Amino acid sequence: MRRRILLAILLAVAVTAAALGIPLGVTAWKLVDSITVEDLGARASQIAATLDTDLADGQLSQTDLDGVAVAIPPGGRLTVQLPGLPKMIEGADPGPDVVTARVQLARDGNLELATAAGPLRSRQTTVTLAVLLLVVLSVSIGTVVATVTARRLAKPLRHVAERASKLGGGDFRPDPSRYGVGELDMVAEALDTSATALAQLVQRERQLVGDVSHQLRSRLTALQLRLESLTIVEDSDVAEEARAAQEQADRLSEALEELLAAARAASEADVEPVELATALPEVASEWRQLLRAEGRNLRLRIGDGLVARATPGRLREVIGVLLDNALRHGAGTVTLAARRGEAEGTVVVEVSDTGSGIPDELVPHVFERGFSGAGSTGVGLALARALAEADGGRLELSSRRPAVFSLFLRVPSPGDLREVRWPSERVPR
């Protein structure tokens, strides 16, 4: 895109320079010629006036020409032709390429003043080169302006593209960046609106799946218990029907488990091995500036060789929500840490601060959608937990005072680890 913008602006500058530069060069060339001819004509008219005065007093002689020699340009030649008299010449031969001016004299005579055309051609060349340099300078300035303009236009476009890519990857955080370009700002607003709608949709979907699975499991368990009690009655027919019904309930329970497993697998379709030593510093660098603006620090601690199985966009979103929560509701230094989990095959990412913690009455509700103790929307933590669960992880409040949120993620299998590129293997950009 930047290249297209740059080429379009350069083409406009080049066309403008050609449209103005060529006529200006031709005009300058003719203007120098016209000024030279007019100056030579003025000199010839001045000499003719003097010679006409001499002719009025008597016959014109070579001595009279010597008297007007001062008006002849350097290297020029004056030729006077009177009827019945030989030509009278004053000055040197200017050569074959000359500029001439002719004036009529009294008594049907004529005067010709000629000078070499070399100085004229030199001045024309100089003026033309000056015009050419002016055009080149204009194109150069236009190139600089085009480059700066292309960068200023392309940077917002790249940012919008990255924002859309993050949105597709599950990063639903609104981005406050605006660009001062009406159309791009409209796109940014639309992306933020879409991100909010998708975040709410994902959270509602996860909540619905959880509620439905919980309700179905509870009802199936109750039904199986009732059927089990009927299998031991004395009536053999009733007992046989109860056993058959119990088998159908067991099959329904297995089918429910398979459907839930398929739903989890579908939600984890984009899950990949993520190297935390690379992913977390990228998120931290974004939030460090925001915390510094509030006079606070962000500390980063990451264990060696930690790799988690997650969707990069969802992981950024969850960590971003936790850091935003620490920025809005916490105090002091914020710590983003990653370590191996106590359970085998897990890693834990923790976000904590040194504030006063979470009040006891709010602890049971921090992950409830629509609940907030500080006037915010109450969507962030609920969405973060839903996204963590969508990747097969778990988000918990592990400490009230100070507040510590822990994100539990699974370690990739050996087959997944082959897809990870470590820092030494990354291709430099």
Side-chain angles (χ1 to χ4, degrees), residues 3-53:
R3 181 181 179 185
R4 291 184 179 179
I5 296 173
L6 181 61
L7 290 177
I9 298 177
L10 288 180
L11 180 61
V13 171
V15 171
T16 303
L20 295 178
I22 294 176
L24 184 60
V26 173
T27 301
W29 182 279
K30 292 184 176 181
L31 182 62
V32 172
D33 182 78
S34 176
I35 292 174
T36 302
V37 171
E38 288 180 0
D39 179 68
L40 192 62
R43 287 174 179 269
S45 298
Q46 182 181 5
I47 294 172
T50 302
L51 293 180
D52 282 340
T53 302

Side-chain angles (χ1 to χ4, degrees), residues 163-185:
R163 178 74 184 94
S165 177
K166 289 180 179 179
L167 184 61
D171 188 348
F172 302 133
R173 285 174 295 165
D175 192 331
S177 301
R178 295 298 180 265
Y179 319 104
V181 181
E183 291 76 7
L184 290 179
D185 288 345

Side-chain angles (χ1 to χ4, degrees), residues 10-306:
L10 288 180
L11 180 61
V13 171
V15 171
T16 303
L20 295 178
I22 294 176
L24 184 60
V26 173
T27 301
W29 182 279
K30 292 184 176 181
L31 182 62
V32 172
D33 182 78
S34 176
I35 292 174
T36 302
V37 171
E38 288 180 0
D39 179 68
L40 192 62
R43 287 174 179 269
S45 298
Q46 182 181 5
I47 294 172
T50 302
L51 293 180
D52 282 340
T53 302
D54 294 338
L55 282 173
D57 294 337
Q59 192 66 26
L60 192 64
S61 65
Q62 187 66 40
T63 304
D64 296 322
L65 295 184
D66 294 339
V68 296
V70 67
I72 301 174
R77 182 179 65 181
L78 174 65
T79 303
V80 178
Q81 178 68 56
L82 293 173
L85 295 176
K87 288 183 179 181
M88 291 180 288
I89 300 174
E90 178 67 27
D93 183 8
D97 188 13
V98 296
V99 180
T100 61
R102 293 181 177 84
V103 179
Q104 289 295 120
L105 295 175
R107 300 180 184 178
D108 296 330
N110 62 75
L111 177 150
E112 180 180 278
L113 184 61
T115 184
L120 170 63
R121 303 292 181 245
S122 298
R123 286 193 295 272
Q124 287 177 323
T125 302
T126 301
V127 172
T128 304
L129 287 177
V131 172
L132 179 61
L133 288 176
L134 182 62
V135 171
V136 172
L137 180 61
S138 300
V139 172
S140 301
I141 295 175
T143 301
V144 173
V145 173
T147 302
V148 173
T149 303
R151 287 178 178 176
R152 292 187 62 182
L153 290 177
K155 185 177 180 180
L157 291 174
R158 287 198 302 270
H159 190 271
V160 169
E162 292 172 359
R163 178 74 184 94
S165 177
K166 289 180 179 179
L167 184 61
D171 188 348
F172 302 133
R173 285 174 295 165
D175 192 331
S177 301
R178 295 298 180 265
Y179 319 104
V181 181
E183 291 76 7
L184 290 179
D185 288 345
M186 290 175 62
V187 174
E189 292 286 349
L191 287 176
D192 283 348
T193 302
S194 300
T196 303
L198 287 174
Q200 295 175 351
L201 179 63
V202 169
Q203 200 277 333
R204 286 197 298 267
E205 179 185 357
R206 297 298 302 177
Q207 186 176 13
L208 177 62
V209 171
D211 292 344
V212 169
S213 62
H214 174 74
Q215 293 295 328
L216 289 178
R217 284 171 175 170
S218 299
R219 299 298 185 271
L220 278 174
T221 301
L223 178 60
Q224 287 171 326
L225 291 175
R226 295 293 297 272
L227 291 174
E228 185 177 358
S229 63
L230 291 176
T231 58
I232 58 176
V233 298
E234 296 180 356
D235 191 332
S236 59
D237 294 334
V238 173
E240 184 64 26
E241 291 295 332
R243 282 191 291 271
Q246 189 174 27
E247 290 179 2
Q248 295 296 326
D250 292 339
R251 291 178 184 178
L252 181 58
S253 178
E254 292 175 359
L256 176 61
E257 293 294 336
E258 291 176 358
L259 288 174
L260 293 175
R264 286 192 295 269
S267 67
E268 299 177 14
D270 296 328
V271 169
E272 62 185 56
V274 177
E275 184 186 347
L276 297 183
T278 300
L280 296 186
E282 292 178 356
V283 180
S285 63
E286 176 183 350
W287 286 91
R288 184 171 281 114
Q289 299 298 327
L290 298 175
L291 286 164
R292 283 179 179 173
E294 300 293 332
R296 300 169 63 186
N297 296 321
L298 175 61
R299 184 182 303 165
L300 186 63
R301 293 203 304 263
I302 306 175
D304 295 333
L306 293 181

